[in-house]
Amino acid sequence: QVQLVESGGGSVQSGGSLRLSCIASEYTYGYYMAWFRQAPGKEREGVAAIDSTGSTTYAHSVKGRFTISKDSAKNTLYLHMNSLKPEDTAMYYCAADTRNWMLLDIYTYWGQGTQVTVSS
């Protein structure tokens, strides 16, 4: 069973940047991985996904501002977030699966989340 641990969250002002990291407990080559977020009172939504070939998918709301990447040698998934907005405030989760769910909220393995707060 894959265990995922996120880090890198914090508080930033609007327009700022953060880099989230997600370390997996085992080799993730061949896994499909993604970042999701959930704001208070809202459903969890897919932010960005990356497949085993490195092909990426982004939610419309973050396209051009966020970049997902992975370092399989380090078992680490990243989310580079630029031009942050107050509406990006949420708990961010990483997820992994052997199947390609893209931005669907049905991945098998989930981390505990890291909080991102963007102030105006």
Side-chain angles (χ1 to χ4, degrees):
Q1 181 161 338
V2 178
Q3 294 183 333
L4 304 170
V5 179
E6 303 95 334
S7 63
S11 296
V12 296
Q13 290 191 327
S14 182
S17 299
L18 283 174
R19 187 186 75 167
L20 305 183
S21 300
C22 171
I23 298 177
S25 59
E26 63 182 65
Y27 194 47
T28 56
Y29 181 81
Y31 276 76
Y32 299 90
M33 302 188 75
W35 287 97
F36 288 78
R37 67 186 182 186
Q38 187 168 24
K42 294 187 177 181
E43 293 186 353
R44 189 161 57 188
E45 63 173 349
V47 174
I50 187 166
D51 71 15
S52 57
T53 69
S55 180
T56 57
T57 302
Y58 294 95
H60 179 74
S61 59
V62 306
K63 193 172 292 186
R65 300 188 297 122
F66 291 10
T67 303
I68 187 172
S69 63
K70 64 178 181 177
D71 186 336
S72 295
K74 297 182 178 180
N75 299 339
T76 303
L77 179 73
Y78 301 101
L79 185 68
H80 298 257
M81 305 185 295
N82 296 318
S83 302
L84 283 162
K85 304 175 182 180
E87 51 263 44
D88 295 318
T89 295
M91 184 71 78
Y92 283 71
Y93 301 89
C94 70
D97 205 303
T98 56
R99 292 160 291 183
N100 187 8
W101 299 119
M102 298 182 75
L103 298 182
L104 293 178
D105 189 7
I106 51 177
Y107 282 70
T108 300
Y109 305 108
W110 292 86
Q112 295 300 306
T114 185
Q115 178 68 37
V116 172
T117 302
V118 185
S119 58
S120 57

